[in-house]
Amino acid sequence: ATFHARIEPGRSLTLIASTEENPDRESDRALDSHRAWELQLIQKSPIAENAPDWINQLVLAANQFIADRPSEAEPEGKTILAGYHWFGDWGRDTMISLPGLTLATGRPEIARSILRTFAPYVDRGMLPNRFPDAGDTPDYNTVDATLWYFEAVRAYHDATRDDELLAELFPVLAEIIDWHRRGTRYNIHLDRDDGLLYAGEPDSQLTWMDAKVDDWTVTPRAGKPIEVSALWYHALQAMVQFARTLKKPAGEYEDLARLTAKGFDRFWNEELGYCYDVLDTPDRGSDRSLRPNQIFSVSLPPLKGTYGYSPLLNRDRQRRVVDVCGEALLTSYGLRSLAPDDPEYKGIYGGDRLQRDGGYHQGTVWGWLIGPYVLAHLRVYGDRVAARELLVPMSHHLLAHGVGSLSEIFDGDAPMHPRGCIAQAWTVAEVLRAWLAIL
């Protein structure tokens, strides 16, 4: 809708929009009520005390992505809308966003509802990529959404110690691991020789770098993507932790985790000084492109309470990954999806659909990646002040695109104009999650 009004100096105009059947139309009273409700949201958050105003604004922004999705299993079910104006709820975005939007804001009951809402949709060991609208069939064309589910469960359990929900979800999680060992859709399977996950068939796009235009796969990543094996290792470590909490056998998951940790060494390229992005591709061998996906091998939280824990990269390699990502990919608003010196680099996101999707993961900056980078930097250097400063530029963005929220993507070239969705769930979520971790 479009509204035209003339506002005289010293006067105000109030627009009231409500989903309630009988909204309060007294503008001053409605505004006071809304502000009181916002204050309650801020006060619930464990990061509210001594937080700057822009962080508290992100706590409010976080709530804008929470939506109802009732189901038979969860009549009061909740979900997360990936972004405004055009994204619905997606499995990958929801699980990545869950810790920041719900746990960092002091609303674990919403996290619990989301985890229960999605669990019945796990099929052949996979979480849907696109959550179905009424009557639609779910799309299961993702390899990483399912693995992010483990991290969401782990983060929730660490925050709440809710053993009851963990016991309810454990059979689902165990089934996921089993399907990945045996093999499931899109040739997703565990390579028993090196413990790494293989995923992909011709013309399939299964990772978060999933741009595809008609028959053109823009960033083909069939093979063994680095973040997928990092998430797989982390899921196995989480299963060890979960099994021990529930007094169940954990040996199978320990053995698989050791195999993956050993095989992960294949990703390191000493000549380059950083990790391959994808191993064992069908037609390109190992992909030497400098992309941000390796940051997850450092940023995912080490589960030191599990037996036989070992980091995927040693301390020197962790530092080198953080340094090379900082030098080539880091911007004020996130990480570039490809290094600027790569021949395929696209520094400006724009044009028609072919041009936009062709540059979506070829240099475009993704805001949500600032969270993993900050946590990886903190893990390597232990400097909380420096880590916090890396988040501050986001405070200057709150009035630049979608007022009061954070954008989906930015140009890779200066001045990094915001693009895409004006408000993106995982960008807001990852800034909040990182801020909480730095406290």
Side-chain angles (χ1 to χ4, degrees), residues 210-332:
D210 56 0
K212 186 176 181 181
V213 184
D214 300 325
D215 293 330
W216 177 33
T217 302
V218 182
T219 49
R221 302 185 73 227
K224 299 169 182 173
I226 186 168
E227 79 280 13
V228 171
S229 283
L231 285 165
W232 169 250
Y233 178 69
H234 190 69
L236 293 171
Q237 290 285 341
M239 285 299 285
V240 174
Q241 195 175 76
F242 299 160
R244 293 190 165 200
T245 298
L246 299 174
K247 296 180 171 52
K248 296 178 179 291
E252 172 190 2
Y253 307 118
E254 291 173 348
D255 292 342
L256 288 172
R258 290 192 189 97
L259 180 63
T260 300
K262 182 179 179 181
F264 198 87
D265 191 63
R266 293 188 58 213
F267 281 105
W268 183 255
N269 184 312
E270 184 62 35
E271 176 192 354
L272 298 174
Y274 58 83
C275 294
Y276 288 113
D277 188 56
V278 187
L279 296 177
D280 302 341
T281 70
D283 54 5
R284 294 172 293 119
S286 294
D287 187 349
R288 299 162 59 98
S289 302
L290 176 50
R291 296 188 181 275
N293 303 297
Q294 59 191 299
I295 203 69
F296 295 105
S297 64
V298 185
S299 68
L300 286 167
L303 307 184
K304 295 181 179 178
T306 54
Y307 174 76
Y309 167 78
S310 61
L312 291 172
L313 300 174
N314 63 34
R315 293 290 296 178
D316 177 65
R317 291 178 179 180
Q318 289 180 14
R319 179 188 57 78
R320 292 166 75 179
V321 164
V322 171
D323 288 350
V324 74
C325 288
E327 292 164 4
L329 305 179
L330 179 65
T331 72
S332 299

Side-chain angles (χ1 to χ4, degrees), residues 362-374:
Q362 299 288 60
T364 297
V365 173
W366 286 78
W368 77 280
L369 294 176
I370 195 65
Y373 179 80
V374 166

